[in-house]
Amino acid sequence: AAAFRRAGGTTLRNGSLSSIPLRTMATGPASGGEISDELLSRLGSLSTQALVDGLWVMGWPSAQIDNARPLHPSHKCVGRAVTLNFVPARPDIAADKPPGGESPEYEAFEKCGPNEVLVMSSTGPQESVGGDIKFLRLKQLNIGGLVTDGSVRDTDEIINYGFPCF
């Protein structure tokens, strides 16, 4: 069996030096970065498994929502993430929450556009993050889709919109 050991940034194989360095797991980028529309298009052609494997190799082993599934088999989305984190209802501050279209979630919707995907973290798997009225607005904004760990209402109407929802 071939013996491998690290020797000053090079690999020693059966006693001969090779210029192929050993790989170590990356830790992901130190800060943000830009993903071009061209790169998004290329990423959109890959399978989900290839993308998850690539994220793992790049040091992002848990950069996905587990058990996400499309509302319809034809749904697929790719885009830059715009994140929204729901918190449990608090009766003591409920009166301070802006109503309807002025609420923080609608504010997040308006930050989304083409080539962006809204990622909504719910307070639980049975807690709905929205239905046809909210998602019609997302469709009007032409965003790439929605991914959530919660549930959604009015699924037939959302499917009729052709809006990718996971």
Side-chain angles (χ1 to χ4, degrees):
F4 292 92
R5 76 182 155 113
R6 186 155 180 127
T10 60
T11 304
L12 189 60
R13 291 189 185 143
N14 293 333
S16 64
L17 286 176
S18 172
S19 62
I20 302 172
L22 292 176
R23 287 182 53 154
T24 59
M25 181 139 175
T27 58
S31 63
E34 292 297 320
I35 296 176
S36 69
D37 290 346
E38 178 187 351
L39 178 56
L40 282 176
S41 178
R42 290 175 42 207
L43 291 171
S45 69
L46 298 173
S47 71
T48 302
Q49 189 59 52
L51 290 170
V52 170
D53 288 349
L55 288 168
W56 190 87
V57 168
M58 290 172 39
W60 295 84
S62 59
Q64 76 278 339
I65 291 180
D66 293 326
N67 302 317
R69 57 188 189 279
L71 280 183
H72 191 269
S74 66
H75 288 181
K76 183 173 181 175
C77 68
V78 63
R80 296 171 199 90
V82 175
T83 59
L84 177 62
N85 187 29
F86 284 87
V87 295
R90 288 193 39 202
D92 60 321
I93 61 171
D96 293 336
K97 181 185 175 206
E102 298 173 20
S103 71
E105 60 198 287
Y106 277 95
E107 186 179 330
F109 293 177
E110 298 304 317
K111 293 180 183 277
C112 297
N115 291 324
E116 293 177 324
V117 173
L118 183 59
V119 180
M120 301 171 88
S121 177
S122 181
T123 58
Q126 272 66 54
E127 298 298 320
S128 174
V129 296
D132 67 331
I133 295 171
K134 287 181 182 178
F135 296 162
L136 175 59
R137 182 62 188 142
L138 297 175
K139 174 72 173 172
Q140 291 169 340
L141 292 167
N142 197 31
I143 75 165
L146 176 131
V147 178
T148 183
D149 59 355
S151 63
V152 296
R153 300 182 306 273
D154 310 318
T155 56
D156 289 340
E157 195 61 34
I158 296 167
I159 291 169
N160 288 337
Y161 293 159
F163 179 71
C165 186
F166 296 79

